[in-house]
């Protein structure tokens, strides 16, 4: 009766308005919401370890301590690597002033020999100024360090969620009789998120190792930093590859010239095409359940709401939103086709 009395356009507009209010509300508390989501995603990622220990009848404290210790050690290692490498980069950048001036002079000489106008060259240099790109990298690394600097809050949340994980699992299982669709949707969200994280991490590590080897062979400074950046950027959909490529390519240009930069770009493209385009889809398959358009929109929205951490968590956050708003509602099954880019199964013959 309500559907007949209220126009559908009004329902849609009210829903959109409510969504905007919620997103802006989350943005206002992003310093808390970001670590909470990160802790939740990390607990989901290591839940197979807890399950493996539970199947072997390990004590409850061990089921909590082992996954917790794994996550904390990984976080501490990344904080250390990024902090030390970012400090080295800050000291290294000023030493390339002369090289950049020489590149500008060479470009101007080449332009004059080939009849290219100075205005065109100046606009090109402003657009592709390596100094600006590297400054952007420093800002991004600073933002990442700022996120990781909230380590105490993340660790406390991890500990709390790890302690609650066994009880939460039992509560969800007990709720299947009352809210079967919600329980199934949350279980699907956890499964898809875990599969996405595990596969992306494995291939991110492969990418990072291959990138570091290529950069080391080409004598590009700070290969460990760029390897970590490649691993982190692997979680950023659509534009992660570009983010991981630009800084080492610009540094290669300053340190070794155009030839070294082209070799770095070529190596990154080959590695990315082989791992991300040919191999990764075979392992990841349809685990994400989001269309290309929805993935890109998710990246924009969650980056706007949570900043750099939102870009990294865009896929898990979108999967959680889908579970709460779409998968848990039987009447919204048709929306799954719009979100996933696939025709939903009707169940009718």
């Amino acid at each position: 009766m309500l559907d007949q009395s209220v126009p559908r356009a009004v329902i849609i507009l009210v829903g959109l308005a409510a969504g905007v209010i919620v997103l802006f509300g989350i943005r206002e508390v992003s310093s808390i919401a970001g670590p909470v989501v990160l802790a939740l995603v990390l607990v989901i990622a290591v839940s197979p370890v807890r399950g493996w220990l539970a199947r072997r009848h390990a004590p409850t404290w061990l089921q909590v301590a082992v996954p917790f210790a794994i996550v904390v050690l990984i976080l501490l290692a990344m904080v250390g690597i990024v902090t030390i490498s970012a400090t080295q980069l800050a000291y290294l950048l000023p030493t390339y002033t002369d090289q950049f001036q020489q590149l500008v002079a060479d470009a101007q000489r080449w332009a004059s020999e080939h009849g290219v106008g100075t205005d065109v060259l100046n606009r090109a240099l402003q657009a592709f100024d390596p100094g600006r790109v590297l400054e952007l990298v420093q800002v991004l690394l600073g933002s990442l360090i700022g996120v990781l600097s909230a380590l105490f809050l993340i660790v406390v949340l991890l500990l709390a969620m790890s302690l609650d994980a066994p009880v939460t699992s039992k509560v969800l299982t007990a709720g299947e009789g009352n809210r079967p669709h919600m329980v199934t949707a949350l279980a699907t969200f956890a499964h898809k998120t875990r599969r996405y994280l595990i596969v992306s991490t494995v291939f991110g590590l492969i990418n990072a190792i291959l990138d570091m080897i290529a950069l080391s062979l080409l004598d590009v400074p700070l290969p460990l930093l760029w390897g970590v950046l490649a691993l982190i950027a692997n979680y950023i959909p659509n534009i992660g590859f570009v983010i991981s490529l630009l800084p080492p390519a610009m540094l290669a240009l300053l340190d070794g010239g155009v030839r070294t930069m082209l070799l770095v770009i070529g190596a990154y493209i080959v590695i990315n095409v082989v791992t991300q385009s040919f191999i990764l889809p075979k392992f990841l398959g349809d685990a994400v359940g989001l269309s290309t358009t929805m993935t890109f929109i998710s990246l924009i929205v969650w980056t706007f709401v949570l900043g750099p951490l939102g870009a990294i968590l865009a896929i898990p956050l979108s999967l959680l939103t889908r579970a709460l708003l779409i998968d848990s509602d039987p009447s919204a099954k048709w929306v799954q086709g719009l979100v996933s880019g696939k025709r939903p199964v009707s169940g009718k013959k």
Side-chain angles (χ1 to χ4, degrees), residues 9-340:
V10 174
I11 298 175
I12 294 174
L13 289 175
V14 171
L16 290 174
V20 170
I21 293 172
V22 170
L23 290 176
F24 271 90
I26 296 174
R27 189 186 184 197
E28 290 299 314
V29 293
S30 59
S31 60
I32 299 175
V36 169
V37 177
L38 177 60
L40 174 62
V41 169
L42 292 175
V43 169
I44 292 174
V46 296
S47 60
V49 177
R50 182 181 59 80
W52 182 82
L53 292 171
R55 288 191 297 271
R56 281 153 181 77
H57 307 288
T60 303
W61 67 268
L62 194 62
Q63 298 178 31
V64 173
V66 173
F68 175 75
I70 291 173
V71 174
V72 170
L73 289 175
I74 292 174
L75 287 176
L76 289 175
M78 293 193 68
V79 169
I81 293 173
V82 172
T83 303
I84 294 173
S85 300
T87 303
Q88 292 176 339
L89 179 63
Y91 283 106
L92 185 64
L93 286 179
T95 64
Y96 287 106
T97 303
D98 294 338
Q99 288 89 330
F100 179 66
Q101 296 298 328
Q102 183 62 43
L103 285 172
V104 172
D106 292 341
Q108 290 174 339
R109 183 170 56 254
W110 180 90
S112 63
E113 292 175 354
H114 291 80
V116 179
T118 306
D119 294 337
V120 176
L121 178 62
N122 290 334
R123 286 195 295 269
L125 289 174
Q126 290 176 358
F128 298 100
D129 184 354
R132 291 187 177 182
V133 175
L134 293 174
E135 286 175 7
L136 177 60
V137 175
Q138 285 185 300
V139 172
L140 292 174
L141 291 174
S143 300
L144 179 62
I145 293 173
V147 170
L148 296 177
S149 64
L151 193 59
F152 177 76
L153 176 59
I154 296 174
V155 168
V156 171
L157 290 168
L158 277 171
L159 180 58
M161 292 182 183
S162 297
L163 290 170
D164 291 339
V167 178
T168 302
S169 178
K170 293 178 182 178
V171 170
L172 289 175
T173 302
E176 287 181 324
N178 297 326
R179 301 284 184 178
H181 296 291
M182 177 62 75
V183 173
T184 301
L186 292 176
T188 303
F189 154 71
H191 171 72
K192 288 184 176 182
T193 299
R194 184 164 52 250
R195 184 177 177 186
Y196 164 75
L197 290 174
I198 292 174
V199 174
S200 296
T201 300
V202 171
F203 280 88
L205 286 171
I206 294 173
N207 266 359
I209 292 172
L210 294 176
D211 290 342
M212 285 191 294
I213 293 173
L215 294 174
S216 298
L217 293 175
L218 295 171
D219 293 325
V220 178
L222 304 177
L224 182 59
L225 173 61
W226 309 130
V228 173
L229 180 62
L231 172 60
I232 296 173
N234 193 62
Y235 298 104
I236 303 176
N238 299 321
I239 63 172
F241 170 69
V242 178
I243 294 175
S244 67
L245 169 61
L246 284 178
M250 293 299 100
L251 190 59
L253 174 64
L254 295 174
D255 190 76
V258 176
R259 179 177 177 275
T260 305
M261 181 188 70
L262 293 177
L263 289 174
V264 168
I265 294 174
Y268 266 65
I269 290 176
V270 170
I271 293 170
N272 183 77
V273 168
V274 172
T275 58
Q276 302 294 319
S277 301
F278 294 155
I279 304 177
L280 180 60
K282 298 181 184 297
F283 289 88
L284 194 58
D286 299 325
V288 175
L290 297 173
S291 66
T292 304
T293 302
M294 289 304 302
T295 301
F296 191 70
I297 293 175
S298 299
L299 174 65
I300 296 173
V301 170
W302 293 117
T303 303
F304 169 77
V305 174
L306 297 178
L309 186 58
I312 298 173
L313 298 176
I315 297 299
L317 282 167
S318 297
L319 290 177
L320 178 59
T321 303
R322 170 177 171 167
L324 295 176
L325 300 182
I326 300 176
D327 295 342
S328 62
D329 186 0
S331 64
K333 293 295 183 183
W334 65 274
V335 185
Q336 293 180 359
L338 298 176
V339 174
S340 64

